[in-house]
Amino acid sequence: MLNPPFFEITCVILCGGKSSRMGEDKSLLPFSFSNSLTQYQFDRLKPYFKNIYLSSKTDKFDFISANELILDENKDIFSPILALNTIFDKLKNQKVFIITVDTPLVSIESISKLIDESKDVDICVAQTEKIHNLCGVFSSNISSTIKNMIENDIHKIGYLIKNNKFKVIEFQNNDEFININNKNDYLNALEYIRKNYNYDN
């Protein structure tokens, strides 16, 4: 039996979104056998990474220690650029695998490919039918670009990517990269888990 991969980089799960299309905080919705979508994502990824953190605007999780939480310093503006700024203020001089809490189906094999392909670039993200701007490897080298963007009130991840040395890796399975944005997406993701992992729930 092959040993599972172990990645010598840190993973950060972004959990600070607004969840406006869901109508409630999707990060706290029950998922599969876990109490929440966040706990599912955290527990499945933790064995593979050197360190793992949650990025959030509030301390709303009861299954992690305080040192596994990176609190976004800006509570009023919902922007992944602000979250990344806080993350790299804490995690200096390293590469980090970034993934959102609402993409729980991305396989370890796909994550491994993104990490392998990221060696010679500052940002390496996934693409299926669209580019998944917040699923990939980000280097702390981009911190100066992030701070400049904040000063100029620019909050587009696409702008950040294009203004650094980047690579886009194509994947064929679009279902694997589904974003859980609404109730229908949520039910589809639960069905995908049930079918592909032979769960009965």
Side-chain angles (χ1 to χ4, degrees):
M1 184 176 176
L2 292 173
N3 290 326
F6 181 79
F7 309 123
E8 288 286 345
I9 69 172
T10 294
C11 174
V12 178
I13 304 168
L14 303 181
C15 310
K18 217 171 182 179
S19 298
S20 53
R21 281 177 279 180
M22 184 66 72
E24 59 184 300
D25 189 342
K26 60 187 168 185
S27 71
L28 300 178
L29 288 173
F31 195 78
S32 187
F33 294 124
S34 297
N35 290 330
S36 68
L37 182 57
T38 306
Q39 188 166 1
Y40 176 87
Q41 187 81 301
F42 185 89
D43 288 346
R44 83 179 184 96
L45 295 177
K46 186 172 184 175
Y48 299 99
F49 285 91
K50 180 180 177 181
N51 297 297
I52 186 165
Y53 298 91
L54 300 180
S55 167
S56 177
K57 287 189 177 297
T58 57
D59 184 358
K60 57 187 176 181
F61 308 109
D62 59 4
F63 62 91
I64 60 168
S65 62
N67 61 4
E68 291 171 314
L69 180 65
I70 301 176
L71 282 174
D72 188 349
E73 295 166 355
N74 190 304
K75 308 296 183 187
D76 301 318
I77 302 171
F78 291 85
S79 162
I81 294 297
L82 295 171
L84 288 173
N85 184 54
T86 306
I87 288 164
F88 285 121
D89 279 348
K90 180 180 178 70
L91 307 175
K92 296 178 171 67
N93 304 315
Q94 59 179 292
K95 287 191 171 183
V96 177
F97 180 74
I98 299 288
I99 190 167
T100 56
V101 70
D102 61 1
T103 52
L105 308 179
V106 180
S107 69
I108 300 303
E109 291 76 18
S110 296
I111 292 171
S112 181
K113 185 173 183 180
L114 286 163
I115 292 171
D116 288 343
E117 292 282 351
S118 73
K119 291 179 174 56
D120 58 346
V121 293
D122 292 322
I123 300 175
C124 181
V125 292
Q127 176 176 352
T128 51
E129 293 174 354
K130 65 174 185 177
I131 295 177
H132 303 280
N133 288 334
L134 290 170
C135 180
V137 180
F138 291 73
S139 169
S140 56
N141 292 342
I142 67 176
S143 290
S144 58
T145 308
I146 290 172
K147 291 185 186 303
N148 185 61
M149 288 174 65
I150 292 170
E151 285 177 10
N152 289 282
D153 200 26
I154 301 169
H155 294 274
K156 298 289 187 184
I157 288 289
Y159 180 95
L160 175 67
I161 292 171
K162 289 173 185 175
N163 282 274
N164 286 278
K165 190 176 182 184
F166 75 95
K167 186 187 289 185
V168 176
I169 306 302
E170 192 161 342
F171 295 91
Q172 299 306 312
N173 184 2
N174 197 54
D175 288 342
E176 185 183 339
F177 291 86
I178 184 176
N179 281 93
I180 299 176
N181 289 317
N182 54 47
K183 292 290 171 63
N184 193 51
D185 295 337
Y186 175 62
L187 294 173
N188 287 341
L190 288 172
E191 180 66 9
Y192 183 95
I193 290 281
R194 189 187 66 79
K195 283 183 176 177
N196 286 275
Y197 298 97
N198 297 315
Y199 292 166
D200 292 324
N201 66 325

